[in-house]
Amino acid sequence: MLDWWAIQFAHVALLSRNSMSSGLGATKVNEGPIVGTHHGSPMILSALPSASSVRIELLFLESEGLDSKSHKVPTTSVPDVLIMEGGADVLIVGAGPSGLMLANWLARCNVSFRIIDKKPNQTLSGHADGLQCRTLEVIESFGFIDQILKIANPLVEVCLWGPSPDGHIQRNYRLANTAKGVSYIEKIFSEELKRVSGVSVERSIEPISLQIDRETIHDPHSKPIHVQLMHRRADGSIYNEDIQVKYLIGCDGAHSWVRRTLGIPMIGESSESVWGVVDTMCVSDFPDIRCCCTVQSSASGTLKIIPREKGIVRFYVQLRQYSPVADTMDRSSVTSSEIIEAARNILKPYSLVVHREMIGQTVYRVGQRLAPRFSSFNNRVLLSGDACHSHSPKVGQGMNVSMMDAYNLGWKIAQTLNGTITSSVLDTYEYERRKIAEDLLDLDRKIAPLISQKISPEDAVESTRNLRKVFKSGKVFMSGVGVIYGPSMLTIDHSDALHLARHVHPGRRIDSHQVLCQADARPWNVHELMPSDGRWRIVILAGDVREVEQMEKINRLGSLFNGENGLVTNVTPRECRLDSVVQVLTIHRSPRKEVELVHFPSTLCPPFDYEKIFVDDESYLKGHGQAYEGFGVHLHGESIT
Ligand SMILES: Cc1cc2nc3c(=O)[nH]c(=O)nc-3n(C[C@H](O)[C@H](O)[C@H](O)COP(=O)(O)OP(=O)(O)OC[C@H]3O[C@@H](n4cnc5c(N)ncnc54)[C@H](O)[C@@H]3O)c2cc1C
């Protein structure tokens, strides 16, 4: 019997060339002024409709703090204005982890884009560290994991320390960890971007106004987003540039200009915690100074230790709670000595001698907040990363989740632009990523009080037990590999077909197992067969193809996908390779030496293409991958999954 799960998936996921539609709905624009607050300063968000467009401006009524200076166009000099038309389809604002992930993805999908950042220089040693499993897998699928692994510090063990009965601290628990600590994420991603596409981050540039052309917003070929950019020259003078793009993506961090310009608030707690961060070269007799630690003392608060490459140790100390309403926090008042002294007090009676600070101290405020919308104007303007969610660093997720937002979004924009899929696929971005952001905030809410609270020696055991429980239950989520996206136009939860591959869950990334290339016996991990290059993939688990009948079914399946009028053929532009939109891979489970490549139909194994047919069998040097067991597929029987 032939099972049709994969075929149904293909039907739903792909649109035939004849049935593409833009999928854009009607736009609704706020036409009256909306009064809101921004860091305590009243502001008016005015949406001024004109015949065909709506111009959005932020008018700040009071003097702004540090973060919002960028909104003001200096009035002392009259800037030159450069009008740029044509050019890029996508403008990415912000070159942090999220913006750079998006840029790297779009570059691999041949999308024309620009990426700008208001900072004149790249962050030398990035803010966040701790790349989780799934993020590492994605980087591997981009093909530059080696650069990361060369400099990464594996964070193999997490240690939880709490107060001891003698009033000091003691290690209460150790658990395994899989993250890798890397400081230079932004640098590596920028270099990789340049290598792959020749595109560099354009610096000292920020957007100052946004205008949306409502009349053309439904036209997939139009560029309805008009953005005015302000460039700062090295001599301090400025000039403006007007550009038009199809999509604007706000990857501009927690104080996102794009989000605020759209009038999207951040909803959540009104208070924020203030963290002091310092990277050091230090000497300490604290036994876990090279492990990822959370240290809670009864008298002096909480410390996080992250060992970094080349012997660097990063300390995170929660300094105090901060109320944005009162806005009393002066970041410059916190010195590195204060942060180090706080760390030293927490570690007592262990010693801490700091020989060198690597990047000086940073103080950052963070609250648990979520934007009620991740996009606007029919998904023409979207938010990614800290721009739409923020939380404490205690679960080490900010960078990872921000990058995975961009990974989720990148291919959808690319395929919408190249017409492979209807633009309504962009609705799945918020649907899928909002749930992850909510789960993350939930986890953060559970962990944050357990870490921040002052605990007495009597409560230490109970507190560590609770912390351990939360860490353990959140481990798979934190690694990123446990993420499951719910049913949508992309994911069908086909419960009556799940028995065919019990461990392949729709909406979740497929596990990687070793298989062998039928042609040359080379072992591959399944993920290596699926680089992030913007193609869809169908994997046929063909079973035992020694049976003539089974091979006939494979033959029919090959024609159904790649035959003259096949599903894949129909969605592939005639001038392109047949596997340029959808690649069909076959993994069979017969003994490799009892099957020949030539027995497979040319629809699945085209001439000169030796990397389409694989087998789950014993390798010469690396054992058996047991991929079928890993996928939960029956070893015997006649099914094809
Ligand atoms: C000191 C520090 C330590 C941290 N440690 C951790 C940690 O250990 N673990 C963790 O998970 N998270 C940590 N975080 C949080 C983590 O860094 C963020 O979650 C992550 O960087 C978010 O990535 P992003 O790209 O969304 O935003 P960001 O990294 O904030 O990047 C935004 C970029 O946009 C640019 N930008 C902003 N506004 C504009 C504008 N108007 N125009 C043009 N460009 C603009 C900024 O210059 C910046 O380069 C830390 C943050 C800080 C500040």
Side-chain angles (χ1 to χ4, degrees):
M1 199 195 95
L2 191 63
D3 286 301
W4 297 102
W5 183 33
I7 300 165
Q8 287 180 5
F9 167 77
H11 266 307
V12 173
L14 298 164
L15 298 172
S16 87
R17 272 180 297 188
N18 300 332
S19 63
M20 283 182 198
S21 72
S22 82
L24 289 168
T27 327
K28 187 172 180 303
V29 174
N30 290 320
E31 307 221 334
I34 304 160
V35 180
T37 59
H38 164 70
H39 287 278
S41 305
M43 70 177 193
I44 294 178
L45 168 72
S46 64
L48 309 173
S50 66
S52 64
S53 67
V54 54
R55 190 175 183 92
I56 304 176
E57 295 167 290
L58 284 173
L59 307 173
F60 291 93
L61 303 184
E62 284 181 6
S63 63
E64 298 287 336
L66 249 185
D67 296 310
S68 44
K69 267 187 191 152
S70 57
H71 287 281
K72 292 181 180 158
V73 187
T75 49
T76 45
S77 63
V78 181
D80 310 319
V81 177
L82 200 76
I83 311 282
M84 293 281 288
E85 281 178 2
D89 283 337
V90 180
L91 175 66
I92 303 171
V93 180
S98 177
L100 286 166
M101 169 64 89
L102 184 61
N104 270 279
W105 209 177
L106 295 183
R108 280 162 174 78
C109 298
N110 293 320
V111 170
S112 68
F113 65 91
R114 288 175 66 181
I115 174 166
I116 60 166
D117 200 290
K118 68 179 179 185
K119 277 190 288 194
N121 301 307
Q122 179 183 282
T123 314
L124 204 58
S125 167
H127 291 322
D129 27 54
L131 286 172
Q132 304 290 351
C133 281
R134 182 61 193 141
T135 317
L136 290 165
E137 282 180 355
V138 167
I139 295 172
E140 185 170 21
S141 76
F142 279 162
F144 62 100
I145 191 71
D146 290 351
Q147 280 99 302
I148 300 280
L149 296 182
K150 236 179 352 205
I151 59 161
N153 186 51
L155 304 172
V156 178
E157 190 177 52
V158 172
C159 301
L160 305 180
W161 286 67
S164 59
D166 63 2
H168 295 307
I169 49 172
Q170 65 183 21
R171 185 196 295 119
N172 289 327
Y173 194 62
R174 304 181 202 241
L175 69 162
N177 190 39
T178 48
K180 304 251 183 290
V182 187
S183 307
Y184 306 102
I185 298 295
E186 283 95 335
K187 181 172 181 290
I188 295 171
F189 267 72
S190 300
E191 286 171 2
E192 183 59 21
L193 178 63
K194 177 96 177 135
R195 188 189 68 76
V196 165
S197 62
V199 174
S200 299
V201 175
E202 298 172 55
R203 299 204 160 271
S204 301
I205 306 178
E206 59 191 281
I208 52 173
S209 81
L210 170 64
Q211 201 172 355
I212 316 281
D213 187 342
R214 283 186 293 170
E215 275 190 358
T216 60
I217 204 161
H218 302 284
D219 173 3
H221 305 293
S222 73
K223 291 190 169 180
I225 317 287
H226 299 241
V227 187
Q228 188 161 57
L229 302 178
M230 183 174 74
H231 294 242
R232 277 178 211 282
R233 296 191 184 97
D235 64 5
S237 62
I238 58 172
Y239 69 96
N240 292 350
E241 174 195 6
D242 288 344
I243 64 164
Q244 271 178 260
V245 287
K246 291 181 177 169
Y247 292 95
L248 169 67
I249 319 295
C251 300
D252 46 349
H255 306 285
S256 168
W257 178 91
V258 176
R259 187 193 66 240
R260 288 181 294 151
T261 303
L262 293 172
I264 300 177
M266 286 294 261
I267 296 180
E269 290 173 7
S270 60
S271 69
E272 296 176 323
S273 53
V274 180
W275 288 77
V277 187
V278 61
D279 283 342
T280 65
M281 293 296 284
C282 64
V283 176
S284 174
D285 55 0
F286 178 67
D288 292 336
I289 198 76
R290 290 304 294 168
C291 294
C292 188
C293 291
T294 297
V295 185
Q296 286 176 284
S297 72
S298 55
S300 310
T302 301
L303 169 71
K304 261 189 87 120
I305 300 176
I306 310 279
R308 304 184 78 152
E309 65 286 341
K310 296 182 183 159
I312 299 170
V313 178
R314 169 173 278 200
F315 296 109
Y316 283 91
V317 187
Q318 187 172 349
L319 296 171
R320 63 191 83 142
Q321 283 300 113
Y322 159 82
S323 162
V325 179
D327 203 359
T328 51
M329 175 77 196
D330 174 9
R331 284 190 251 194
S332 60
S333 68
V334 181
T335 63
S336 57
S337 320
E338 193 182 328
I339 300 169
I340 292 167
E341 196 48 36
R344 197 174 278 133
N345 283 333
I346 293 167
L347 286 179
K348 271 179 186 165
Y350 299 103
S351 64
L352 175 65
V353 180
V354 172
H355 285 259
R356 195 149 63 96
E357 289 164 33
M358 306 306 294
I359 52 163
Q361 99 286 3
T362 319
V363 176
Y364 78 104
R365 308 182 324 222
V366 63
Q368 288 161 335
R369 304 212 183 98
L370 188 61
R373 282 183 287 134
F374 289 9
S375 71
S376 232
F377 296 103
N378 278 319
N379 295 319
R380 291 294 192 142
V381 187
L382 297 115
L383 302 171
S384 170
D386 276 14
C388 48
H389 45 73
S390 71
H391 48 86
S392 84
K394 290 164 194 150
V395 285
Q397 290 292 307
M399 174 175 64
N400 290 278
V401 172
S402 297
M403 290 171 112
M404 295 313 292
D405 283 350
Y407 186 64
N408 184 292
L409 181 59
W411 71 266
K412 293 174 184 174
I413 291 182
Q415 301 226 336
T416 301
L417 282 170
N418 71 21
T420 307
I421 194 162
T422 164
S423 61
S424 58
V425 72
L426 291 170
D427 290 338
T428 65
Y429 167 65
E430 176 165 346
Y431 166 71
E432 293 180 340
R433 295 309 295 175
R434 163 176 296 283
K435 169 83 173 63
I436 305 305
E438 284 168 355
D439 289 351
L440 176 58
L441 261 66
D442 276 352
L443 184 65
D444 195 36
R445 262 182 228 113
K446 281 186 205 150
I447 286 184
L450 291 173
I451 289 183
S452 307
Q453 70 195 357
K454 285 198 173 162
I455 44 171
S456 61
E458 301 80 61
D459 297 333
V461 175
E462 181 64 16
S463 166
T464 308
R465 191 179 299 133
N466 290 339
L467 194 55
R468 200 170 71 194
K469 230 167 39 194
V470 179
F471 262 116
K472 263 185 140 174
S473 64
K475 220 168 117 183
V476 177
F477 172 78
M478 287 195 268
S479 73
V481 298
V483 164
I484 299 178
Y485 295 136
S488 70
M489 67 179 283
L490 293 172
T491 304
I492 306 168
D493 207 341
H494 226 317
S495 45
D496 55 343
L498 291 182
H499 66 281
L500 294 171
R502 293 183 316 283
H503 307 144
V504 179
H505 196 299
R508 182 172 174 264
R509 76 93 162 94
I510 195 169
D511 286 337
S512 196
H513 301 284
Q514 179 185 283
V515 293
L516 310 181
C517 179
Q518 174 67 36
D520 61 8
R522 179 181 162 187
W524 292 79
N525 279 313
V526 167
H527 282 195
E528 289 178 278
L529 306 177
M530 306 178 178
S532 289
D533 54 13
R535 285 187 286 181
W536 294 81
R537 292 195 173 78
I538 293 171
V539 179
I540 301 173
L541 298 173
D544 189 345
V545 290
R546 286 173 299 178
E547 301 293 329
V548 176
E549 276 183 16
Q550 190 77 350
M551 196 53 116
E552 273 172 11
K553 286 183 204 164
I554 297 297
N555 219 327
R556 291 207 298 276
L557 206 49
S559 305
L560 186 79
F561 289 138
N562 287 342
E564 205 177 335
N565 248 325
L567 295 169
V568 173
T569 315
N570 282 344
V571 295
T572 309
R574 267 178 238 295
E575 65 280 10
C576 297
R577 269 179 66 126
L578 186 54
D579 64 357
S580 61
V581 178
V582 185
Q583 191 181 36
V584 182
L585 302 170
T586 303
I587 303 173
H588 70 87
R589 179 58 190 238
S590 323
R592 176 176 165 270
K593 291 173 187 165
E594 293 182 29
V595 178
E596 299 298 340
L597 196 62
V598 289
H599 295 151
F600 287 86
S602 60
T603 45
L604 296 177
C605 179
F608 311 116
D609 192 342
Y610 300 106
E611 285 163 9
K612 289 278 195 295
I613 308 289
F614 297 86
V615 53
D616 180 21
D617 198 359
E618 183 88 21
S619 70
Y620 280 105
L621 297 173
K622 290 185 152 180
H624 198 305
Q626 307 292 1
Y628 270 52
E629 283 91 337
F631 295 138
V633 173
H634 290 296
L635 298 183
H636 305 291
E638 299 169 334
S639 73
I640 294 172
T641 304

